[in-house]
Amino acid sequence: MRFLPTTWEKLTDAVAAHVDGTTSGDGGEWLKVGVDGAPAAHTGEFVRRLADALRLRGRSVLVVGTGGFLRPASLRFEYGRRDPDAYYDGWFDTGALWREVLGPLGPGGTGRVLPDLWDPDTDRATRSPYVPLPPGGVLLLHGPFLLGRWFPFDLTVHLRLSPGALARRTEEPWTLPAFARYEDEVGPADSADLVVRADDPRHPAWSGLPGGAPAS
C-alpha cells in the first residue's frame, strides 16, 4: 500500500467532502462512518475534526465512542483484569452497538441513538437520554476493533500505528497481544476503505480515498 504525506487539515477536508457526497449503502436515511484504531491512535481527536468539517458543510453529526459501550466489570474481568483475549473478544458490547446505535440508523429506523450505555468508572448504566439524528445526518463511530464485525459502515477509516509506535504509545502494554491478534485475524489496513499512517502524530500519511488517487 502506498502512502503519501498530508496534514490533518487536508485529510479532514478530503474525507468530509467524500462523506458529504456519499449515499447510504443500506438505503437508509443516515450515513455511518467507522473510525478504527487503538487508543494510542487517538481516534477521538480525528473524529472531532471530521465532525466539525461536516457541520461546516451543513450536516448533522453524532459522535459515538465505543468506550461508552463497555460491558460491566463482572464480564470484562471474568478472566482477570489484564487478559488480552478478553479485551479483544469481551470488553465491548457489540450487541448494544447494533441495538442502540446502528439499528436505529438503518432502513426504517427511528434515528434515535443512545450515545453511551455504560460508565466504566462507576460500573453503572449512564442513563443518558436518546439523541435524535435527523435524516441526512452522519454517525461517526470510533474506537478499537471496529472492523471485521459486519457493521454497516458507509466508510471505514483505520488510523494505523506500526508495532513499534503502538508499543511506545500504549499506556496499557498488556493489551498489545490483542492488537497483534486483530492484525492477524482481521487485517485492518486491508479491510478499511482509507488508511491513515499516524506513527508521527504531527505528520500523517494516507492511502487516498476509495476509488480515487491519494492526495499530495
Side-chain angles (χ1 to χ4, degrees), residues 115-215:
D116 50 57
L117 178 65
W118 200 259
D119 185 338
D121 294 328
T122 63
D123 200 36
R124 295 179 183 275
T126 59
R127 302 187 183 277
S128 295
Y130 284 86
V131 176
L133 185 62
V138 181
L139 169 73
L140 301 179
L141 178 62
H142 70 96
F145 311 134
L146 287 181
L147 304 176
R149 299 186 183 275
W150 302 103
F151 288 152
F153 293 125
D154 299 294
L155 179 72
T156 52
V157 180
H158 175 60
L159 301 189
R160 182 169 183 78
L161 297 175
S162 68
L166 181 64
R168 289 191 303 272
R169 293 165 56 183
T170 294
E171 295 181 358
E172 302 286 350
W174 64 268
T175 64
L176 292 173
F179 292 105
R181 180 180 166 190
Y182 186 50
E183 287 288 334
D184 290 340
E185 296 184 3
V186 176
D190 296 322
S191 302
D193 297 313
L194 164 63
V195 181
V196 179
R197 194 168 61 193
D199 285 3
D200 183 344
R202 300 165 299 174
H203 303 292
W206 71 319
S207 61
L209 291 163

Side-chain angles (χ1 to χ4, degrees), residues 5-12 202 204 216:
T6 186
T7 65
W8 290 111
E9 290 77 12
K10 290 180 180 179
L11 173 63
T12 301
R202 300 165 299 174
S216 60

